[in-house]
Amino acid sequence: MEDFAVICVPETIQSQYDEYLVRSGLAGREHVDYRRWLRYYWDFCTKYGHERLALASLALFMGKLASKGQSEAKRGQASKAVDLYWSMLREQRDSRRTITVGLYYFQGGTQ
């Protein structure tokens, strides 16, 4: 019997994404759909060995959704869900970079 379990987004990432959805101003009623699309994208990338942060992976995911008969509107929503995930990661990266740069200058100024 084949296993059809969907691979889930790790809890810490899902929690951060949920908070990011709230901050993004996205209507609360859409959060469930966006979480679902992120989970499907995560599952797709894991099952097919695609890099989650690659534009090519998103294009392949969109192709897969089209082949499954998903409407253009649903594919647009899925694309936006992934883009919000990427934006969240960029924001986190930039925040860490700012902290690191700040510490570097602070340490440099004390020598």
Side-chain angles (χ1 to χ4, degrees):
M1 183 170 169
E2 209 171 325
D3 183 14
F4 291 105
V6 174
I7 296 175
C8 293
V9 176
E11 190 175 322
T12 56
I13 293 172
Q14 186 64 66
S15 176
Q16 293 167 359
Y17 186 70
D18 290 346
E19 291 173 20
Y20 194 78
L21 290 177
V22 171
R23 286 192 325 229
S24 74
L26 185 70
R29 66 184 179 280
E30 295 186 81
H31 290 195
V32 171
D33 293 329
Y34 278 64
R35 283 192 293 268
R36 184 184 72 236
W37 288 123
L38 179 61
R39 187 176 72 242
Y40 289 169
Y41 180 70
W42 194 278
D43 180 72
F44 172 82
C45 289
T46 301
K47 284 184 178 175
Y48 297 103
H50 299 300
E51 174 57 47
R52 288 183 192 95
L53 301 179
L55 285 174
S57 298
L58 180 57
L60 292 168
F61 181 60
M62 292 296 105
K64 182 74 165 177
L65 293 179
S67 76
K68 296 260 185 194
Q70 290 291 341
S71 69
E72 190 173 330
K74 290 291 185 187
R75 291 192 314 266
Q77 188 181 52
S79 180
K80 186 174 177 185
V82 173
D83 187 57
L84 283 170
Y85 168 64
W86 290 346
S87 295
M88 177 191 81
L89 294 176
R90 278 191 301 272
E91 185 178 285
Q92 290 172 345
R93 180 201 64 209
D94 292 347
S95 175
R96 282 192 299 273
R97 183 176 294 149
T98 300
I99 290 167
T100 302
V101 169
L103 288 174
Y104 173 76
Y105 284 121
F106 177 75
Q107 290 172 349
T110 61
Q111 293 179 352

